[in-house]
Amino acid sequence: MNLRGEAMADGQLKLPESALAQLAGHHAVRVIVLVQDSPEGEEEAEWNAMATEQFLVGYSEADAIYDTL
């Protein structure tokens, strides 16, 4: 089951009612929590910036000849 929930201020996880209905009667579950570190889109922009930066680190003036092709 893959779903989104919310971490409440009191430390409880708020899950959708549909998920809770599927879990009713089960006694043990395994939960993996992935926390969103930054607003959506911001992380992608950071990855793009880092990829560009790392790509340019490997660029040499000797490679400039390929820019004219």
Side-chain angles (χ1 to χ4, degrees), residues 1 3 13-26 29:
M1 174 184 315
L3 53 95
L13 295 177
K14 181 178 179 184
L15 302 175
E17 291 295 326
S18 59
L20 295 174
Q22 290 180 23
L23 296 171
H26 294 274
V29 296

Side-chain angles (χ1 to χ4, degrees), residues 2-4 6 12 19 23 26-27 29 32 34 37 41 45-46 49 52 54 57-58 65 67:
N2 184 1
L3 53 95
R4 291 185 181 261
E6 182 179 354
Q12 292 189 21
L23 296 171
H26 294 274
H27 299 286
V29 296
I32 299 172
L34 302 174
D37 292 333
E46 291 172 358
T52 300
Q54 291 300 312
V57 166
I65 192 169
D67 294 339

Side-chain angles (χ1 to χ4, degrees), residues 45-60 63:
E46 291 172 358
W47 276 107
N48 288 339
M50 185 182 69
T52 300
E53 178 184 317
Q54 291 300 312
F55 177 79
L56 293 176
V57 166
Y59 187 81
S60 165
D63 295 328

